[in-house]
Amino acid sequence: MGWIDEEHQGVRYGLSGDVLVEERSPFQRISVICSERYGKGLLLDGCWMTAEHQERHYHEPLVHPALCTAQSIERVLIIGGGDGGTARECLRHTDVTHLDMVEIDGRVVELSRTHLPMIGGSAWSDPRFHLTIGDGIAWVSDSAEQSYDVVLVDGSDPAGPAVGLFNRTFFEQCRRILRPGGVFATQSESPEAFRAVHVAIVRLLREVFGHADPLYGWVPMYPSGWWSWTFAAVDGPRYKSPISPRAALIQHDCQIWSPRWQRGGFDAIPYSIELELQNE
Ligand code: SPD
């Protein structure tokens, strides 16, 4: 038993536990750990990705604000998401008929399925779920125009294999493949620990889609614990207003998300960021 830390800007974010697996894939260093506080967890290149008893803090806020507000949710695309948590939350929506997930690193999927099976849960065997191990950026570029109702980006920080998931070209391609009434969402880093990156993501999404807003919440093991997800749409900020019957279908099994939590999360924008975004 020892400390397993992510170090960022002179601060350590750590859990006490054991390292179960440590290996290097063609894309990154992958660590699977078992912690006292949050159960088994996953790090990529030394950065916390998820843990059994904290993953809902991240996955519910990424998925449900988008799936409860898009006009239709038949066809959904996840880029990244190799641990399966985002897919699991998407498939709780019975209106989803086809879910593509494109993860670049097959070892992340294999290790997650072996060591963190409860995170993906039944998603791995759901007939609506279609997993491709490959380049998500190329998948988006190769997809037909207006082919998805919702596009979710569940990548890691903008470095290594995830660096191309935060630029204008990628966001423009995501807008192109979104159907009318569709919603795009991406994890958008911490407003405290990655402030400049966070603000740049929101600005860029506003330029590309016309409408984009950050939603704030907490993922205690991530740098600063304070996290954000940014939602974008072409036809207006529809991502702010959950569709009640859809929300009612999933609410009972959520630990973090609710329509009220969603509204509060969008309202909880720090004043200095609100000003920064106004002065574009
Ligand atoms: N700094 C951590 C950002 C991680 C975002 N992705 C987490 C993957 C969980 N499915």
Side-chain angles (χ1 to χ4, degrees), residues 105-116:
D105 195 337
R107 280 304 283 160
V108 171
V109 172
E110 288 163 7
L111 290 167
S112 297
R113 292 189 71 166
T114 303
H115 296 280
L116 305 162

Side-chain angles (χ1 to χ4, degrees), residues 5-7 22-31 42-49 105 108 156-157 159-162:
D5 296 325
E6 172 176 348
E7 293 186 38
E22 177 91 0
E23 66 172 61
R24 188 163 280 284
S25 77
F27 300 98
Q28 55 208 339
R29 180 162 53 95
I30 307 174
S31 318
L42 174 74
L43 298 93
L44 298 179
D45 284 336
C47 299
W48 290 110
M49 291 295 124
D105 195 337
V108 171
S156 45
D157 304 318

Side-chain angles (χ1 to χ4, degrees), residues 146-259:
Q146 300 187 359
S147 48
Y148 290 100
D149 296 298
V150 174
V151 176
L152 303 173
V153 182
D154 180 14
S156 45
D157 304 318
V163 76
L165 301 177
F166 296 90
N167 64 40
R168 180 184 292 274
T169 307
F170 177 68
F171 290 155
E172 283 175 350
Q173 289 298 322
C174 289
R175 186 195 59 193
R176 183 185 63 79
I177 66 171
L178 213 52
R179 287 176 171 167
V183 172
F184 169 88
T186 183
Q187 74 88 2
S188 50
E189 304 292 321
S190 164
E192 197 279 331
F194 296 88
R195 169 68 166 254
V197 175
H198 169 65
V199 170
I201 293 169
V202 181
R203 281 193 171 143
L204 193 49
L205 286 170
R206 283 187 177 174
E207 284 174 29
V208 170
F209 285 83
H211 303 273
D213 287 284
L215 167 73
Y216 296 98
W218 297 266
V219 186
M221 68 187 183
Y222 286 178
S224 87
W226 188 17
W227 212 253
S228 77
W229 302 262
T230 296
F231 297 79
V234 174
D235 61 346
R238 59 164 52 247
Y239 42 77
K240 287 187 173 176
S241 310
I243 297 167
S244 298
R246 243 189 248 161
L249 282 176
I250 55 148
Q251 177 67 92
H252 57 285
D253 272 333
C254 286
Q255 287 180 11
I256 305 294
W257 179 89
S258 70

